[in-house]
Amino acid sequence: MMKIYRTQDKQLTRVDDMSEGTWICLNSPTDDEVRRVAATLDIEPADIVAATDPEESARISLEDGYTVIIVDIPIKVEGAGEGVYSTIPLGIVKTAEHLITVCLKDSHIMRDFALGRVKGFFTNKRTRFILQILYRNASRYLQYLRQIDKKTNAIENELQKTLRNSELMQLMRLEKSLVFFATSLKSNEIVLEKLLRSDLIRRFPDDEDLLEDVIIENKQAIEMCAIYRDILSSTMDAFSSVINNNVNDIMKVLTSLTLVLSIPTLIASIWGMNVAVPFEGSSVGFWVLLGVSLLASVVSIIILSRRKML
């Protein structure tokens, strides 16, 4: 889908023509839309569709008359439960008169711009627009990281009550989300550092502070992601040890009970042999053997309890 926006009288409006100062927003674009944009703005179609490849890595490059920036943005994984996220590429193509954004999905980041939720946003201020996108992206990572931490704490509370496979699987999915975040944030950091060192996009004095804020926000997201990964890894190791201890305790109790029950079985087996045995002709023999069996079982229970085997 292709949508074209322009800031007019400080208001963002949707237009039909790709005139100077417009923002062309492409979400999962069709081949016809790609060809139209490429032909109108003199851009290579491959540079437009690059961001539609889920495996495309973050990068920044200067092409013939325009700049291509690709960063990874966080998204929620639909149907995978709360706190499960992944990342997809977002492409930004800056020309002398236009700005194009390309993504596989309608992300929250670009939706905020389209709905006018970002202060100081103007489609004709392309450099500032790019930095605002990068800042919102880093902020979105921080927001999702806090949600992951909140979900992790909730699962920990559930695991303290009962150790079930479902909660452990949720922790594993959260850890997988953090791995995706860590990889993407590192790639974005390389793009930001290259953006800071080079003159691939023209920057104005007011944009320098915003670029520094973007870099700081991204570094904070990297640090938070590393901390949460360590915490989550330690949590999973701790609960794994708890599960192993519980299994050992259960096996210990079952072994002790087997030992206790084997004593009456042994006595009954001996007196059940087809040979002469004591009390063979006595009417009280059964009760004597029963009493001996119970006494031996009680003694074994006391011994095992003192050794903390029960």
Side-chain angles (χ1 to χ4, degrees):
M1 178 183 294
M2 180 174 67
K3 297 180 180 178
I4 306 174
Y5 299 93
R6 181 208 299 273
T7 302
Q8 296 177 341
D9 299 327
K10 297 184 179 181
Q11 294 294 327
L12 185 68
T13 58
R14 187 171 173 180
V15 296
D16 296 327
D17 62 308
M18 287 181 280
S19 56
E20 181 180 353
T22 54
W23 162 37
I24 297 97
C25 181
L26 299 173
N27 293 318
S28 188
T30 63
D31 293 338
D32 291 338
E33 291 171 342
V34 172
R35 284 193 293 266
R36 177 188 171 190
V37 174
T40 304
L41 305 182
D42 193 20
I43 300 174
E44 287 293 331
D47 292 328
I48 297 177
V49 300
T52 60
D53 181 5
E55 303 301 326
E56 186 72 20
S57 58
R59 58 183 172 85
I60 179 172
S61 60
L62 179 63
E63 305 299 334
D64 187 15
Y66 56 92
T67 304
V68 178
I69 302 174
I70 296 180
V71 293
D72 291 326
I73 63 173
I75 59 168
K76 291 184 178 181
V77 179
E78 300 295 336
E82 184 183 355
V84 181
Y85 303 95
S86 183
T87 59
I88 59 173
L90 170 67
I92 305 172
V93 181
K94 177 184 177 295
T95 69
E97 300 176 349
H98 304 83
L99 190 78
I100 308 163
T101 59
V102 189
C103 192
L104 277 172
K105 299 181 179 180
D106 183 18
S107 65
H108 288 283
I109 297 172
M110 304 315 301
R111 194 181 307 159
D112 289 342
F113 286 96
L115 296 176
R117 296 173 180 170
V118 181
K119 295 182 179 179
F121 161 56
F122 301 95
T123 58
N124 59 328
K125 295 184 178 180
R126 290 175 292 280
T127 298
R128 189 169 188 83
F129 187 9
I130 293 173
L131 296 178
Q132 286 174 325
I133 292 175
L134 298 177
Y135 185 83
R136 301 283 294 191
N137 185 39
S139 299
R140 182 66 63 171
Y141 273 108
L142 290 173
Q143 178 183 346
Y144 286 166
L145 284 170
R146 295 186 187 96
Q147 293 180 6
I148 290 176
D149 183 53
K150 183 178 179 181
K151 183 63 177 179
T152 301
N153 293 333
I155 295 176
E156 287 180 15
N157 294 332
E158 289 294 327
L159 284 173
Q160 290 176 3
K161 301 175 184 177
T162 175
L163 292 174
R164 295 180 300 184
N165 291 336
S166 58
E167 278 76 14
L168 294 176
M169 292 300 295
Q170 288 181 18
L171 286 179
M172 186 185 70
R173 287 192 289 267
L174 292 178
E175 188 175 28
K176 187 177 179 181
S177 299
L178 291 176
V179 172
F180 286 143
F181 279 13
T183 304
S184 297
L185 286 168
K186 286 291 185 181
S187 300
N188 291 349
E189 184 181 32
I190 296 175
V191 173
L192 293 175
E193 289 178 351
K194 189 173 182 180
L195 195 62
L196 178 65
R197 295 192 305 266
S198 65
D199 295 325
L200 292 176
I201 62 173
R202 182 183 177 187
R203 297 197 302 271
F204 299 91
D206 293 341
D207 298 330
E208 295 294 340
D209 292 339
L210 181 55
L211 178 56
E212 291 180 3
D213 291 341
V214 173
I215 294 174
I216 293 173
E217 199 84 353
N218 194 78
K219 287 184 179 296
Q220 184 180 354
I222 292 175
E223 293 173 358
M224 284 182 61
C225 187
I227 292 172
Y228 290 158
R229 281 185 67 184
D230 292 341
I231 293 175
L232 188 55
S233 179
S234 300
T235 300
M236 292 190 67
D237 290 341
F239 280 113
S240 177
S241 299
V242 170
I243 291 174
N244 290 333
N245 289 336
N246 290 344
V247 172
N248 292 335
D249 290 341
I250 293 173
M251 294 303 298
K252 181 172 65 175
V253 172
L254 291 176
T255 302
S256 300
L257 291 177
T258 302
L259 179 62
V260 171
L261 294 175
S262 65
I263 295 176
T265 303
L266 176 63
I267 295 175
S269 299
I270 294 175
W271 257 261
M273 294 181 180
N274 193 20
V275 295
V277 292
F279 305 110
E280 181 178 3
S282 173
S283 59
V284 297
F286 170 78
W287 300 108
V288 172
L289 293 177
L290 181 60
V292 172
S293 300
L294 292 176
L295 179 61
S297 297
V298 171
V299 172
S300 62
I301 290 174
I302 294 174
I303 294 174
L304 292 174
S305 298
R306 289 181 176 179
R307 294 178 177 270
K308 297 182 180 181
M309 297 294 291
L310 281 175

